[in-house]
Amino acid sequence: MTEPNPSRMTTMLTGSRGDLAAVAGRLPKPEGTQYPYELVIIDGTTAFLAGQIPKQAGQLAVVGKVGMDVSCTEAAMAARICAEQALAWLNHSAGGLENLRRILRLTCYIAHDDGFQDISAVADGASTYLIEMLGDKGRHTRSVVGVKSLPRNAPVLVEVTASLISPTRADAIGG
């Protein structure tokens, strides 16, 4: 296990109810989909979130391939937007962020050109956001996968699996 970075620790939240309520209050409205799948499925105390692309106000915030149309910095910000949407969906569908035990897993898919190799730096945008917003509850396992293309020409797609404190009454929430 790696040691926490002290410079990041100053921005972390404790994960207390008050902190989580403050985070929830700053989240955007979750972005829905027009396609035939569920955005969140809750099975017992596990929440499975569909892949989030960097949507804001119904539109993609960033479009294109990393290393060709999109810089690494822009892609990391796109990954951050994806993670923000994941938290928005958890807050909306899993009984609020106060019901979040922790983020279990994050998978980040990056559409990039053949010359781009720093895909982990892109995924760091999502990982860092979750840790900054949730403290230790945001620490997770992670996979990073480079791909040829993503839906709607998005540069990044982030999937999240989370553990909840207690089951919710909703089995599935769609958008």
Side-chain angles (χ1 to χ4, degrees):
M1 184 169 165
T2 60
E3 291 298 314
N5 180 338
S7 65
R8 281 196 334 214
M9 297 292 279
T10 59
T11 61
M12 277 190 198
L13 298 177
T14 62
S16 71
R17 278 192 178 276
D19 288 342
L20 294 174
V23 169
R26 291 191 309 265
L27 291 172
K29 180 180 182 248
E31 295 281 344
T33 184
Q34 61 186 8
Y35 300 103
Y37 63 88
E38 300 299 324
L39 289 162
V40 180
I41 299 242
I42 297 171
D43 186 13
T45 57
T46 305
F48 300 90
L49 281 74
Q52 301 295 306
I53 56 178
K55 289 197 306 188
Q56 292 179 318
Q59 301 295 318
L60 280 175
V62 183
V63 176
K65 286 194 178 195
V66 182
M68 181 186 310
D69 312 304
V70 178
S71 72
C72 185
T73 301
E74 290 168 325
M77 184 54 68
R80 197 172 171 91
I81 293 167
C82 296
E84 181 181 53
Q85 275 299 307
L87 282 190
W89 274 110
L90 281 171
N91 185 55
H92 175 76
S93 62
L97 294 183
E98 295 86 0
N99 193 35
L100 177 66
R101 182 179 312 275
R102 69 171 302 139
I103 302 296
L104 297 171
R105 181 160 186 79
L106 179 145
T107 304
C108 187
Y109 298 89
I110 296 104
H112 64 90
D113 76 354
D114 291 340
F116 185 79
Q117 297 181 2
D118 204 7
I119 61 175
S120 289
V122 173
D124 287 346
S127 292
T128 300
Y129 175 81
L130 292 173
I131 294 166
E132 286 174 353
M133 293 298 106
L134 302 173
D136 285 341
K137 290 182 178 208
R139 295 192 176 281
H140 52 272
T141 62
R142 178 175 95 175
S143 293
V144 182
V145 182
V147 298
K148 180 177 171 103
S149 67
L150 289 168
R152 297 177 56 191
N153 199 26
V156 181
L157 181 143
V158 171
E159 291 179 346
V160 171
T161 303
S163 174
L164 307 177
I165 293 168
S166 61
T168 65
R169 289 186 286 170
D171 290 329
I173 307 286

